[in-house]
Amino acid sequence: SYELTQPPSVSVAPGKTATITCGGSNIGSQSLHWYQQKPGQAPELVMFYDSARPSGIPERFSGSKSGDTATLTISGVEAGDEADYYCQVWDSDSGQYVFGTGTKVSVL
Amino acid sequence: ELLVESGGGVVQPGRSLRLSCAASGFTFFSRYHMHWVRQAPGKGLEWVAVIWHDGSHQYYADFVKGRFTISRDNAMHTLDLEMSNLRVDDTAVYYCARVPNGYTSFDLWGQGTLVTVSA
């Protein structure tokens, strides 16, 4: 089955830039999405189709892809950005949806 | 726009449980593929199943095939998940989530319902 790999954790100081990666085979040819999940809450879409921001998501959030790695970048990190982040794709071959392993972003 | 799950609780291994999700606040429920996604305590998100907007297709994660059945009622704006032969490792918060037809991202999630499988 298809797998997406993320670093377990990322630590960043307030005001700095957090970079969260998501790796998978042939990820360059797939549409990839990102979700933010704060403790005790449901996930929220923060980036879709690699680099599109849903309404209400700050411009500090950006997405990109290169080769077999997708990246979610949070610029000017704030305390409120502390959360778990998950990447996700749709595997068209199986019809199944796949989430990445998740990255916990901690704001120092 | 709201998705509200119900039906969670404590159940013994091998038993069955039915979860429901009620959609409200948005029209054209039938234009959305509807999913169940779960999250075991302290773990990551795990996709469970999808039913297409018109109910014509269902797909399941490998770990639930043959045990879980997803269904929907477009007239009532509801989504169900019938879970049978439950195992201890099915313990999780189960989220209902929607994907607009033609897209592959989840744009709305419910708050989840907790299923605990324990003897």
Side-chain angles (χ1 to χ4, degrees), chain B residues 43-57:
Chain B
K43 302 297 184 181
L45 299 174
E46 191 172 46
W47 177 79
V48 175
V50 59
I51 184 166
W52 281 20
H53 64 103
D54 58 2
S56 62
H57 293 77

Side-chain angles (χ1 to χ4, degrees), chain A residues 10-82:
Chain A
V10 167
S11 296
V12 58
K16 299 299 185 181
T17 297
T19 301
I20 308 162
T21 59
C22 174
S25 174
N26 203 30
I27 205 172
S29 65
Q30 303 198 56
S31 296
L32 187 131
H33 318 294
W34 291 93
Y35 302 86
Q36 176 194 68
Q37 187 182 32
K38 296 181 179 180
Q41 297 184 18
E44 178 185 9
L45 181 69
V46 294
M47 198 68 56
F48 64 105
Y49 289 98
D50 303 337
S51 59
R53 272 181 291 106
S55 174
I57 301 301
E59 292 183 7
R60 302 184 294 102
F61 288 79
S62 62
S64 63
K65 224 166 37 174
S66 178
D68 284 342
T69 301
T71 301
L72 178 69
T73 302
I74 311 173
S75 305
V77 165
E78 302 175 355
D81 298 329
E82 192 163 272

